[in-house]
Amino acid sequence: GMRMKAKSIGLIELPNFADAVEAIDVMLKAAEVKFLTWEKKLGGRLVTCIIQGEVSAVTASVESAKLNAKGNVVASAIIANPHEETMKLIEMSMRKHGFLK
């Protein structure tokens, strides 16, 4: 499959689908990042959005979403050098949603 190492990932959580889509748009316009996948929290309403790129770009995108997205970014994280097992989890999500064939 697609090997996605040597790049950082950014995660943000928003309260609903519409806010998540809008925040993803903000992130993609803010810096050179790629949208990877999203997940709805089990039992909850939060949507987690995951992007990838150089650490500086990912940081800029996440910060831009926190400042400029209409929805409330409930939580965020930046993982500068994700472990391959971490990336396997993300790849599973991508495959499930059809973002990775």
Side-chain angles (χ1 to χ4, degrees):
M2 178 183 170
R3 286 300 101 198
M4 302 187 297
K5 52 177 185 284
K7 282 194 175 171
S8 65
I9 56 172
L11 303 91
I12 62 169
E13 280 190 334
L14 291 101
N16 60 60
F17 189 78
D19 288 347
V21 172
E22 197 262 343
I24 290 164
D25 191 63
V26 168
M27 289 195 295
L28 293 176
K29 288 171 178 169
E32 192 65 33
V33 294
K34 180 177 185 250
F35 169 74
L36 294 185
T37 190
W38 52 17
E39 283 298 328
K40 281 209 74 162
K41 195 171 254 187
L42 291 171
R45 286 172 53 83
L46 293 180
V47 183
T48 304
C49 311
I50 306 177
I51 58 163
Q52 181 183 47
E54 299 303 324
V55 69
S56 57
V58 168
T59 302
S61 285
V62 168
E63 289 307 312
S64 185
K66 285 157 79 171
L67 288 170
N68 302 311
K70 291 179 190 83
N72 177 36
V73 176
V74 177
S76 67
I78 295 161
I79 303 175
N81 189 20
H83 189 275
E84 66 183 66
E85 293 298 321
T86 307
M87 292 313 297
K88 274 187 201 165
L89 286 173
I90 293 170
E91 286 172 18
M92 276 170 51
S93 171
M94 291 173 73
R95 211 165 274 118
K96 179 177 83 180
H97 294 295
F99 299 127
L100 184 63
K101 300 288 185 277

